[in-house]
Amino acid sequence: MDFGFKLSPSSAVNLDTVDRRRYDRLVQLVPDACTCIGCGSCSATCTSASWTGMSVRKVLLGLQRGRDAEVDNMLSGCMLCGKCTMVCPRGINTRQLILTLCRLDKNGEVVR
Amino acid sequence: MIYQGKQKIWADYQKEIPDDHWFYVRSCIRQNFFPASEKYFLKICRDLLGRDIYESEHHTTCAGIAYHCDTIPQETAMTVVARQFALMTEAGYDNLVTSCITSFGNYTEILETWREFPELEAKIREHLWKACRREFNKPKYVAHASDLVYKLRGEIAERAKYHLVSRATGEPLRIVEHIGCHYSKMFPHKGVGGAEYPCVLSGMAESWGGQIIDYPERRHCCGFGFRQYFVQANRGYSVSNTHKKFESMEPFHPDAIITNCPGCPYFLDRWQYVIAEQTGKTYGRNGYGIPVLTYEELAGLVLGVDPWDLGLQVHQVAVEPLLDKIGIPYDPARKYLGMNEKEIMKPGLPSVLKCC
Amino acid sequence: MVNRQPVIAVIGAGIAGLEAARQLAALGYKPVLIEKSGTTGGHVAQWNRLFPDMTPAADVIEPLRAQTAGIKTLLGTEISAINRLKDEYNIVLSDGSSLLCQAVLFATGFRLFDASKKEEYGYGIYDHVITNRDLERWFNTREDRRIQQPKAVGFVHCVGSRDLKAGNTQCSKVCCITAIKQAIEMKEEFPDAEVYCFYMDLRLFGKKYEDFYIKAQRDHGIHFIRGRVSEVGEAIDGRVVVKAEDTLSGRPVKVTLDLLVLMAGILCNPDALRYARDTGVAVDDDGFLKSRDNLAAITESSRPGIFFAGACTGAKTVPETLAEARSAALAIHQYFSNRA
Amino acid sequence: MRERFASGFDPFVIPFLIGMIFVLGYCLVAMIRVVCQLPKTDRKRFLLSLITPKYIWMNIRDIFLNCLIHVKLWKRNKVLGYMHSSIAFGWFMIIVLGHLEVMLFVPQRIHFFYYPIFFNYFVAETEQTLQGALLMFLMDFFLLLILSGIVLAIIKRFASRIVGMRRTTRLSALDQVGLYSLWAIFPLRLLAESFTAHISGGSFLTIPANWVFRQFLGNDLNALPTWWAYSIALCIFMCVLPFTRYMHIPAEMLLIPMRNAGIKIRHPRKGFALLEVYSCPACGVCIDACPMSVRKANLRDCTVYLNRQLRRGNERRIAEISDKCLLCGKCSAVCQVGVQGPELRVAQRERRKFALSPSYADFDVRPMAEAVAGSGGVLYFAGCMTQLTPSILRATASLLDKAGVPWKMMDPDGGLCCGRPLMMAGRSEQARELIAKNVEIIRSSGCDTLLLSCPICYRVFKEEYPLEGIRVVHHSAFFQELIAAGKLPVQREEGLRLVWHDPCELGRGCGIYEQPRAALAAAGELVEARKHHAESICCGGSLGSLSLSFEQRRPMTQNALENLTAADPGQIVTGCPLCLTTFVREADRPVRDIAEILDEHCR
């Protein structure tokens, strides 16, 4: 029956069920990834941000919150210019992080 | 769950509820949704327990719905409320008891606002005088009708014909309480038990033999939310909130939901049908829903009032499984007979939710 | 030669009181320690290990106790009233006796916020909600039925701190670092557990605190979620369902935990407020005792002969408290030197 | 001379024959394989070069100079040069002279290819001739030369510092077998020839030795076993050669003509790359040269070990080594055989598979193209890194204005990346997309000169961008020209001591060394770093490395600074914004961009 309205999906992130495999694998490969303090320097300096809203901070957060589509969209605009690495106060090797992430499939496995 | 912990909190949130002499104001919508509830509140209080409850045919809406829908300014609502106070004053009462939670919240909010801003009160008095030449005294006590039933729960229990236990097993029924948002979320000290762990309904259910279950989304709104429902495009949001509550209470397998707000039982009841149609899911046993009762209906059942006299046939979710479980006798044939024993017509049956 | 016979009442035998008494005795005075509870060491004595070096609390307490062993200490003694006389104070004790002293040092410390006041967190109601103090007690005794092989643990920062509704708008300073310390300890205890910290701001101001934070992130994989927990519910299995907003992603988050630890904040000891009333000492806007000067004379009150040390003037760390206790002893010494 | 044995054969030559046939066969197959692995066009080009006189001459000259004389090594380290050329050239001469002897004295045996090797065993001296004595002398002389080289090699192995190497390669087990058999060959030859010198004749080395041995041995019984031993040593060496670093001897002889023909690495593991890997002599010069090796870190991650792991097929280590490298190019600059470490690594990175590949197709650059449309003149592209160093931006702009050059900035609000970082990461396909977009913007401007202040951008714009008709220039060179043309009145400041840091991408990458120095000389006194020009040390900030952490890079930066400040300059000057930001973090004195220095000293 059409009521003219539908149940809307919850915007809440359920941390019990969120699939963090990609993040967990990333952290194994690039341990510094967990030291992000969300300062946003990377986002502010990002060359591709004006096109894709790319932000390493958001990528890391999105991975932990199951926002895979957003993460992939951001990553697909990264030009690897390295500005974010230059400005990161925690010294995270963001280029390595991005490259490593691009090599992980949905299950968090490195593609061969 | 540590019960003693709750009791400790309840002890901090006991409000003074006078025993007798109340000026009663009805709810705008309950009379349509659950017509017998207010009737049986008055009947139980007056006839059974011998209390003096007065109501005036001149009272109007408290303007709470319009206020919460942002269609009138607060001053207008205040003036409308001032008029109710005037009716109460004119009738010689000091204690106001409301049927509606939003009214209760509205009255409380207005009185608190006046306490903070006395100049506003003076202004409203002036408005009221200009509008209808009336004057008023502020009520000494404002209570919600459920507060009163809470206070009288022991007396009701003494006269109880049935208890909220399974006739078959003797186990207490698993009752979900749902408190209207405007009851104590704005002013925790105005509600029995406060805002986080209110005990106004749980107190009744427990004293009548039931067991209250505490599920994670207990505090969540029923989904009514005024504007969210009134605008059709937003109803998805409204039903989603209700859905969230049912998903959360589902593992506890409640036997019934008891409410004290006009909108809540309506939405918790009717949305079960919509959710069943949209998702194919029902939350009661064997394809039934979870019966949603007002506290008056529950009190009536406990006191042995005939379920059809209490208007339980106008519920979307069938109450028969609950009645069977408690062992309350009912005549299925009388279900759709009106007050004058005339057929009130049987509704069509939904495709998913089982309704006898 | 100054007269070094004045009696100095040191109220409270926590670390501030003990250290101040030790210093006063070393300066040749006769301090008298008055302690409400049956033992010395105060809050720190109830703690297990201390940040940022994981020093056992006993390493701080035991030397202080040993070095104050010869000082007159009235344990289990409450103060009924303090009477202000000319140049002197008469302290009426709960055993009926009274103590005439020439100076009073408030080392009254703090009171931990009663976490059950944040009703929405369900402390005292839900089976698996505890406080920072409960967790330290568990580290010490290993006895708490609420802690049972947790697979997911949450820490809520700022419970009763920076919260107008809870009646304390101040930052309790030590809870952020304590939460990180306890999170690391829990992760070490239960390596398979996911540990979440819900914070509003992380205020890691002290020496090596930031390193501790990085360690928690990198070496222990503790998840930090910027957002205050809004409400806690109990699932059917007794686990706690925590709701918060992840403000960095702008979305509500929900997580089911086996243990929720509330970082109860620091309030001024209510006894201190009572003594302040008796002695005419002012209370500052932050709810703690008011110093003569918050920059230059934090250990001095505006009343002659009344001094402060430690958390009675605000939340303090252990080193700050000890330093203040020494400073207070010197201030008292100065006070008597000038009088002589 | 007469033959001692009518058969012209003795069983002891069999081991040598086995070894010889094996190694020749192996090398032939390997050579054919490498050539076949080349892409078609490359293969054609290479084969054509082999019959082109110009290339034939180049190849002979290069093989002689590099493989035998080791001129490059001589230039770098005299002792090592002598060691290598004495062995290689000496051995070569012994083989040549052996053949000469056979041709002269027993021409009928020239088809027995073991004969020139074991000549002295098979002949008896019937009469002494001047010709014979000269040949005998030369044989002994070159043997002595080799032996001196072997002695140096032994010293080098056990005390590399004496021969001027701080670190040397750690040998694999097979390498050690090869090494010890190589060491054994020539002393054994000396012994064998000495034992038979009273029959076959000899010279200043073998005759006295023969006399000494006869004094206390008194018979010829030791002769045959030593010839056996000599043959066995040769056999062992040749049999292990394909599996040891000594494979570089035959491989380099193919590498030189291929390189001369202009062949490049097109596949990470096949063809030219394979040849480069086999051409690595594992000498270890790259270990000392590698900027990552500072403070004994990352010692196993330089090119020599990459080559070893590539030969072993250890994928984990190959990936690790490939990702770590800064791609500074120093190992290539110092490599004696010209192994291209960075290119080899990038080829490995390109091989990698990704689950997600970026695409910039949706990036709309039309507004950027419109913003510069028709500006003409000089188009200045600051690039990502210069955006982070506004001081360079400002100084460059100021100098352009001072010189009255009409210019326009291509990326005033940030632009696209140039694509070089992607290429370094092995994602050249994605880089091509960026290149196309940038070209669109550049072309729309109608500029004649594209000016860059970042060498990373400069290199890719120069090498990869289809910008015919547009001059691509680094700002250091551009400003030097303006100074030389008198358009920028730069005034020299007395007492200002400047050192120029050659950024990897600008110096080794694009060969720009002198223009910035000339420009700086106009502003102050130029001093040189301890290592400079092609040997300059990477700042450690390079985008080339994918995996080095910030903490790992820090000592590299400190080491590079130590090198730069050897002559105690007042300021360090560079022409790369990335070097600048990297150095600034660690430097004890001001680090400036060349544009800043010039702008300050220009009215």
Side-chain angles (χ1 to χ4, degrees), chain C residues 46-48 130-150 182 185-186 189-190 259:
Chain C
Q46 296 173 24
W47 243 239
N48 179 252
I130 65 170
T131 64
N132 39 4
R133 176 161 45 197
D134 296 338
L135 187 57
E136 287 298 327
R137 193 177 294 137
W138 182 76
F139 288 139
N140 280 325
T141 62
R142 301 283 148 172
E143 280 166 18
D144 195 325
R145 52 163 193 82
R146 294 171 293 189
I147 303 172
Q148 282 158 353
Q149 293 297 318
Q182 294 186 337
E185 286 175 302
M186 285 309 267
E189 202 72 48
F190 307 105
L259 184 66

mmCIF file of all heavy atoms in Angstrom, chain C residues 46-48 130-150 182 185-186 189-190 259:
data_model
loop_
_atom_site.group_PDB
_atom_site.id
_atom_site.type_symbol
_atom_site.label_atom_id
_atom_site.label_comp_id
_atom_site.label_asym_id
_atom_site.label_seq_id
_atom_site.Cartn_x
_atom_site.Cartn_y
_atom_site.Cartn_z
ATOM 1 N N GLN C 46 43.408 5.850 47.205
ATOM 2 C CA GLN C 46 42.439 4.905 46.631
ATOM 3 C C GLN C 46 42.756 4.578 45.181
ATOM 4 O O GLN C 46 42.135 3.730 44.570
ATOM 5 C CB GLN C 46 41.029 5.499 46.678
ATOM 6 C CG GLN C 46 40.541 5.721 48.080
ATOM 7 C CD GLN C 46 39.215 6.470 48.069
ATOM 8 O OE1 GLN C 46 38.478 6.439 47.104
ATOM 9 N NE2 GLN C 46 38.935 7.166 49.157
ATOM 10 N N TRP C 47 43.690 5.344 44.629
ATOM 11 C CA TRP C 47 44.031 5.120 43.221
ATOM 12 C C TRP C 47 45.040 3.982 43.098
ATOM 13 O O TRP C 47 45.718 3.630 44.058
ATOM 14 C CB TRP C 47 44.597 6.410 42.629
ATOM 15 C CG TRP C 47 43.766 6.972 41.512
ATOM 16 C CD1 TRP C 47 44.206 7.190 40.269
ATOM 17 C CD2 TRP C 47 42.397 7.403 41.526
ATOM 18 N NE1 TRP C 47 43.197 7.710 39.492
ATOM 19 C CE2 TRP C 47 42.066 7.843 40.231
ATOM 20 C CE3 TRP C 47 41.385 7.420 42.497
ATOM 21 C CZ2 TRP C 47 40.791 8.310 39.880
ATOM 22 C CZ3 TRP C 47 40.135 7.884 42.150
ATOM 23 C CH2 TRP C 47 39.833 8.323 40.870
ATOM 24 N N ASN C 48 45.128 3.409 41.907
ATOM 25 C CA ASN C 48 46.029 2.284 41.690
ATOM 26 C C ASN C 48 47.344 2.758 41.107
ATOM 27 O O ASN C 48 48.399 2.649 41.733
ATOM 28 C CB ASN C 48 45.338 1.275 40.763
ATOM 29 C CG ASN C 48 46.205 0.090 40.457
ATOM 30 O OD1 ASN C 48 46.696 -0.032 39.349
ATOM 31 N ND2 ASN C 48 46.436 -0.768 41.435
ATOM 32 N N ILE C 130 30.054 2.274 35.639
ATOM 33 C CA ILE C 130 30.865 2.523 36.836
ATOM 34 C C ILE C 130 31.527 3.892 36.698
ATOM 35 O O ILE C 130 31.377 4.564 35.680
ATOM 36 C CB ILE C 130 31.948 1.427 37.032
ATOM 37 C CG1 ILE C 130 32.964 1.459 35.893
ATOM 38 C CG2 ILE C 130 31.320 0.053 37.133
ATOM 39 C CD1 ILE C 130 34.178 0.582 36.147
ATOM 40 N N THR C 131 32.247 4.295 37.717
ATOM 41 C CA THR C 131 32.961 5.573 37.631
ATOM 42 C C THR C 131 34.455 5.313 37.628
ATOM 43 O O THR C 131 34.918 4.195 37.863
ATOM 44 C CB THR C 131 32.638 6.491 38.826
ATOM 45 O OG1 THR C 131 33.123 5.826 40.007
ATOM 46 C CG2 THR C 131 31.164 6.767 38.965
ATOM 47 N N ASN C 132 35.186 6.391 37.370
ATOM 48 C CA ASN C 132 36.649 6.312 37.390
ATOM 49 C C ASN C 132 37.147 5.763 38.729
ATOM 50 O O ASN C 132 38.066 4.951 38.776
ATOM 51 C CB ASN C 132 37.276 7.677 37.088
ATOM 52 C CG ASN C 132 36.536 8.845 37.735
ATOM 53 O OD1 ASN C 132 35.576 8.646 38.490
ATOM 54 N ND2 ASN C 132 36.979 10.042 37.455
ATOM 55 N N ARG C 133 36.504 6.176 39.800
ATOM 56 C CA ARG C 133 36.949 5.707 41.106
ATOM 57 C C ARG C 133 36.668 4.212 41.284
ATOM 58 O O ARG C 133 37.502 3.469 41.802
ATOM 59 C CB ARG C 133 36.260 6.497 42.227
ATOM 60 C CG ARG C 133 36.637 5.946 43.586
ATOM 61 C CD ARG C 133 36.419 6.865 44.739
ATOM 62 N NE ARG C 133 35.125 7.530 44.683
ATOM 63 C CZ ARG C 133 34.837 8.626 45.399
ATOM 64 N NH1 ARG C 133 35.758 9.148 46.176
ATOM 65 N NH2 ARG C 133 33.675 9.176 45.316
ATOM 66 N N ASP C 134 35.502 3.781 40.789
ATOM 67 C CA ASP C 134 35.189 2.350 40.884
ATOM 68 C C ASP C 134 36.234 1.532 40.134
ATOM 69 O O ASP C 134 36.624 0.449 40.573
ATOM 70 C CB ASP C 134 33.816 2.056 40.254
ATOM 71 C CG ASP C 134 32.688 2.740 41.009
ATOM 72 O OD1 ASP C 134 32.904 3.062 42.194
ATOM 73 O OD2 ASP C 134 31.617 2.959 40.413
ATOM 74 N N LEU C 135 36.657 2.073 38.988
ATOM 75 C CA LEU C 135 37.612 1.319 38.178
ATOM 76 C C LEU C 135 38.962 1.232 38.886
ATOM 77 O O LEU C 135 39.596 0.173 38.900
ATOM 78 C CB LEU C 135 37.773 1.976 36.799
ATOM 79 C CG LEU C 135 38.613 1.181 35.801
ATOM 80 C CD1 LEU C 135 38.040 -0.215 35.589
ATOM 81 C CD2 LEU C 135 38.685 1.911 34.460
ATOM 82 N N GLU C 136 39.375 2.332 39.525
ATOM 83 C CA GLU C 136 40.641 2.284 40.274
ATOM 84 C C GLU C 136 40.539 1.271 41.414
ATOM 85 O O GLU C 136 41.478 0.532 41.691
ATOM 86 C CB GLU C 136 40.992 3.665 40.836
ATOM 87 C CG GLU C 136 41.455 4.672 39.809
ATOM 88 C CD GLU C 136 42.740 4.291 39.085
ATOM 89 O OE1 GLU C 136 43.629 3.637 39.691
ATOM 90 O OE2 GLU C 136 42.866 4.640 37.894
ATOM 91 N N ARG C 137 39.371 1.232 42.030
ATOM 92 C CA ARG C 137 39.174 0.294 43.126
ATOM 93 C C ARG C 137 39.282 -1.131 42.584
ATOM 94 O O ARG C 137 39.875 -2.002 43.204
ATOM 95 C CB ARG C 137 37.804 0.527 43.773
ATOM 96 C CG ARG C 137 37.647 -0.186 45.109
ATOM 97 C CD ARG C 137 36.313 0.135 45.743
ATOM 98 N NE ARG C 137 36.194 1.538 46.126
ATOM 99 C CZ ARG C 137 35.113 2.279 45.930
ATOM 100 N NH1 ARG C 137 34.043 1.764 45.333
ATOM 101 N NH2 ARG C 137 35.071 3.535 46.311
ATOM 102 N N TRP C 138 38.731 -1.311 41.380
ATOM 103 C CA TRP C 138 38.817 -2.646 40.780
ATOM 104 C C TRP C 138 40.271 -3.003 40.452
ATOM 105 O O TRP C 138 40.695 -4.136 40.651
ATOM 106 C CB TRP C 138 37.958 -2.702 39.512
ATOM 107 C CG TRP C 138 37.962 -4.053 38.876
ATOM 108 C CD1 TRP C 138 37.281 -5.153 39.294
ATOM 109 C CD2 TRP C 138 38.706 -4.460 37.733
ATOM 110 N NE1 TRP C 138 37.554 -6.226 38.471
ATOM 111 C CE2 TRP C 138 38.424 -5.823 37.505
ATOM 112 C CE3 TRP C 138 39.589 -3.804 36.862
ATOM 113 C CZ2 TRP C 138 38.982 -6.541 36.445
ATOM 114 C CZ3 TRP C 138 40.149 -4.518 35.816
ATOM 115 C CH2 TRP C 138 39.844 -5.878 35.616
ATOM 116 N N PHE C 139 41.026 -2.017 39.982
ATOM 117 C CA PHE C 139 42.441 -2.287 39.710
ATOM 118 C C PHE C 139 43.137 -2.750 40.986
ATOM 119 O O PHE C 139 44.040 -3.578 40.956
ATOM 120 C CB PHE C 139 43.154 -1.038 39.174
ATOM 121 C CG PHE C 139 42.781 -0.668 37.763
ATOM 122 C CD1 PHE C 139 42.585 0.665 37.398
ATOM 123 C CD2 PHE C 139 42.632 -1.647 36.787
ATOM 124 C CE1 PHE C 139 42.238 0.999 36.106
ATOM 125 C CE2 PHE C 139 42.297 -1.311 35.477
ATOM 126 C CZ PHE C 139 42.090 0.020 35.147
ATOM 127 N N ASN C 140 42.707 -2.174 42.111
ATOM 128 C CA ASN C 140 43.325 -2.522 43.390
ATOM 129 C C ASN C 140 42.835 -3.848 43.945
ATOM 130 O O ASN C 140 43.609 -4.645 44.450
ATOM 131 C CB ASN C 140 43.046 -1.432 44.428
ATOM 132 C CG ASN C 140 43.975 -0.242 44.267
ATOM 133 O OD1 ASN C 140 45.148 -0.418 43.909
ATOM 134 N ND2 ASN C 140 43.474 0.947 44.509
ATOM 135 N N THR C 141 41.514 -4.062 43.833
ATOM 136 C CA THR C 141 40.947 -5.216 44.548
ATOM 137 C C THR C 141 40.524 -6.358 43.631
ATOM 138 O O THR C 141 40.345 -7.476 44.079
ATOM 139 C CB THR C 141 39.684 -4.783 45.322
ATOM 140 O OG1 THR C 141 38.724 -4.328 44.362
ATOM 141 C CG2 THR C 141 39.970 -3.666 46.294
ATOM 142 N N ARG C 142 40.325 -6.019 42.331
ATOM 143 C CA ARG C 142 39.826 -7.005 41.349
ATOM 144 C C ARG C 142 38.436 -7.503 41.720
ATOM 145 O O ARG C 142 38.054 -8.608 41.360
ATOM 146 C CB ARG C 142 40.774 -8.198 41.213
ATOM 147 C CG ARG C 142 42.148 -7.818 40.787
ATOM 148 C CD ARG C 142 42.155 -7.538 39.313
ATOM 149 N NE ARG C 142 43.134 -6.513 39.006
ATOM 150 C CZ ARG C 142 43.468 -6.160 37.770
ATOM 151 N NH1 ARG C 142 42.906 -6.736 36.751
ATOM 152 N NH2 ARG C 142 44.349 -5.223 37.563
ATOM 153 N N GLU C 143 37.726 -6.719 42.504
ATOM 154 C CA GLU C 143 36.390 -7.156 42.888
ATOM 155 C C GLU C 143 35.363 -6.116 42.463
ATOM 156 O O GLU C 143 35.341 -5.003 42.985
ATOM 157 C CB GLU C 143 36.313 -7.350 44.411
ATOM 158 C CG GLU C 143 36.893 -8.670 44.858
ATOM 159 C CD GLU C 143 37.116 -8.699 46.348
ATOM 160 O OE1 GLU C 143 36.517 -7.860 47.036
ATOM 161 O OE2 GLU C 143 37.884 -9.551 46.797
ATOM 162 N N ASP C 144 34.605 -6.444 41.455
ATOM 163 C CA ASP C 144 33.482 -5.619 41.049
ATOM 164 C C ASP C 144 32.668 -6.448 40.085
ATOM 165 O O ASP C 144 33.129 -6.779 38.998
ATOM 166 C CB ASP C 144 33.964 -4.330 40.368
ATOM 167 C CG ASP C 144 32.842 -3.312 40.261
ATOM 168 O OD1 ASP C 144 31.677 -3.731 40.066
ATOM 169 O OD2 ASP C 144 33.122 -2.105 40.374
ATOM 170 N N ARG C 145 31.468 -6.791 40.480
ATOM 171 C CA ARG C 145 30.673 -7.695 39.633
ATOM 172 C C ARG C 145 30.237 -7.020 38.341
ATOM 173 O O ARG C 145 29.747 -7.659 37.422
ATOM 174 C CB ARG C 145 29.469 -8.261 40.396
ATOM 175 C CG ARG C 145 28.640 -7.208 41.058
ATOM 176 C CD ARG C 145 27.269 -7.635 41.476
ATOM 177 N NE ARG C 145 26.515 -6.439 41.800
ATOM 178 C CZ ARG C 145 25.921 -5.667 40.916
ATOM 179 N NH1 ARG C 145 25.974 -5.976 39.644
ATOM 180 N NH2 ARG C 145 25.286 -4.581 41.282
ATOM 181 N N ARG C 146 30.410 -5.703 38.287
ATOM 182 C CA ARG C 146 29.993 -5.006 37.061
ATOM 183 C C ARG C 146 31.009 -5.179 35.938
ATOM 184 O O ARG C 146 30.727 -4.929 34.784
ATOM 185 C CB ARG C 146 29.813 -3.511 37.359
ATOM 186 C CG ARG C 146 28.678 -3.246 38.314
ATOM 187 C CD ARG C 146 28.633 -1.809 38.776
ATOM 188 N NE ARG C 146 29.787 -1.456 39.605
ATOM 189 C CZ ARG C 146 29.892 -0.315 40.274
ATOM 190 N NH1 ARG C 146 28.937 0.589 40.188
ATOM 191 N NH2 ARG C 146 30.954 -0.053 41.005
ATOM 192 N N ILE C 147 32.236 -5.573 36.299
ATOM 193 C CA ILE C 147 33.285 -5.744 35.298
ATOM 194 C C ILE C 147 33.477 -7.230 35.057
ATOM 195 O O ILE C 147 34.007 -7.937 35.911
ATOM 196 C CB ILE C 147 34.600 -5.096 35.782
ATOM 197 C CG1 ILE C 147 34.360 -3.623 36.101
ATOM 198 C CG2 ILE C 147 35.705 -5.266 34.750
ATOM 199 C CD1 ILE C 147 35.522 -2.935 36.761
ATOM 200 N N GLN C 148 33.013 -7.695 33.892
ATOM 201 C CA GLN C 148 33.118 -9.126 33.596
ATOM 202 C C GLN C 148 33.594 -9.332 32.174
ATOM 203 O O GLN C 148 32.820 -9.274 31.236
ATOM 204 C CB GLN C 148 31.763 -9.807 33.804
ATOM 205 C CG GLN C 148 31.486 -10.051 35.278
ATOM 206 C CD GLN C 148 30.014 -10.204 35.557
ATOM 207 O OE1 GLN C 148 29.191 -10.010 34.689
ATOM 208 N NE2 GLN C 148 29.694 -10.561 36.790
ATOM 209 N N GLN C 149 34.889 -9.527 31.999
ATOM 210 C CA GLN C 149 35.502 -9.786 30.695
ATOM 211 C C GLN C 149 34.875 -8.938 29.590
ATOM 212 O O GLN C 149 34.337 -9.464 28.612
ATOM 213 C CB GLN C 149 35.358 -11.278 30.338
ATOM 214 C CG GLN C 149 36.141 -12.205 31.228
ATOM 215 C CD GLN C 149 37.643 -11.958 31.111
ATOM 216 O OE1 GLN C 149 38.161 -11.758 30.033
ATOM 217 N NE2 GLN C 149 38.357 -11.964 32.225
ATOM 218 N N PRO C 150 34.940 -7.623 29.722
ATOM 219 C CA PRO C 150 34.277 -6.793 28.715
ATOM 220 C C PRO C 150 34.931 -6.921 27.343
ATOM 221 O O PRO C 150 36.146 -7.042 27.231
ATOM 222 C CB PRO C 150 34.437 -5.373 29.261
ATOM 223 C CG PRO C 150 35.611 -5.438 30.161
ATOM 224 C CD PRO C 150 35.636 -6.817 30.742
ATOM 225 N N GLN C 182 43.238 5.051 32.068
ATOM 226 C CA GLN C 182 42.403 3.889 32.376
ATOM 227 C C GLN C 182 42.039 3.119 31.111
ATOM 228 O O GLN C 182 41.941 1.896 31.139
ATOM 229 C CB GLN C 182 41.138 4.340 33.116
ATOM 230 C CG GLN C 182 41.465 4.915 34.495
ATOM 231 C CD GLN C 182 40.221 5.228 35.317
ATOM 232 O OE1 GLN C 182 39.145 5.422 34.773
ATOM 233 N NE2 GLN C 182 40.378 5.298 36.627
ATOM 234 N N GLU C 185 44.917 1.011 30.391
ATOM 235 C CA GLU C 185 44.978 -0.094 31.354
ATOM 236 C C GLU C 185 43.941 -1.169 31.030
ATOM 237 O O GLU C 185 44.221 -2.362 31.121
ATOM 238 C CB GLU C 185 44.760 0.438 32.775
ATOM 239 C CG GLU C 185 45.971 1.197 33.296
ATOM 240 C CD GLU C 185 45.706 1.825 34.668
ATOM 241 O OE1 GLU C 185 44.763 2.621 34.784
ATOM 242 O OE2 GLU C 185 46.456 1.521 35.607
ATOM 243 N N MET C 186 42.752 -0.725 30.620
ATOM 244 C CA MET C 186 41.712 -1.693 30.278
ATOM 245 C C MET C 186 42.094 -2.464 29.022
ATOM 246 O O MET C 186 41.843 -3.658 28.911
ATOM 247 C CB MET C 186 40.364 -0.984 30.061
ATOM 248 C CG MET C 186 39.703 -0.541 31.330
ATOM 249 S SD MET C 186 39.576 -1.873 32.559
ATOM 250 C CE MET C 186 37.958 -2.511 32.208
ATOM 251 N N GLU C 189 44.498 -4.936 29.939
ATOM 252 C CA GLU C 189 43.840 -5.992 30.699
ATOM 253 C C GLU C 189 43.025 -6.899 29.781
ATOM 254 O O GLU C 189 43.048 -8.122 29.929
ATOM 255 C CB GLU C 189 42.907 -5.324 31.719
ATOM 256 C CG GLU C 189 42.536 -6.147 32.898
ATOM 257 C CD GLU C 189 43.690 -6.320 33.861
ATOM 258 O OE1 GLU C 189 44.365 -5.317 34.221
ATOM 259 O OE2 GLU C 189 43.933 -7.470 34.224
ATOM 260 N N PHE C 190 42.335 -6.256 28.836
ATOM 261 C CA PHE C 190 41.460 -7.002 27.906
ATOM 262 C C PHE C 190 41.847 -6.629 26.479
ATOM 263 O O PHE C 190 41.197 -5.780 25.860
ATOM 264 C CB PHE C 190 39.987 -6.649 28.166
ATOM 265 C CG PHE C 190 39.569 -6.825 29.603
ATOM 266 C CD1 PHE C 190 39.393 -5.727 30.423
ATOM 267 C CD2 PHE C 190 39.384 -8.100 30.127
ATOM 268 C CE1 PHE C 190 39.020 -5.881 31.754
ATOM 269 C CE2 PHE C 190 39.002 -8.262 31.447
ATOM 270 C CZ PHE C 190 38.828 -7.156 32.265
ATOM 271 N N LEU C 259 30.885 -2.303 29.348
ATOM 272 C CA LEU C 259 31.255 -1.529 30.531
ATOM 273 C C LEU C 259 31.329 -0.066 30.124
ATOM 274 O O LEU C 259 31.900 0.266 29.086
ATOM 275 C CB LEU C 259 32.631 -1.984 31.050
ATOM 276 C CG LEU C 259 33.093 -1.311 32.346
ATOM 277 C CD1 LEU C 259 32.200 -1.705 33.512
ATOM 278 C CD2 LEU C 259 34.534 -1.664 32.654
#
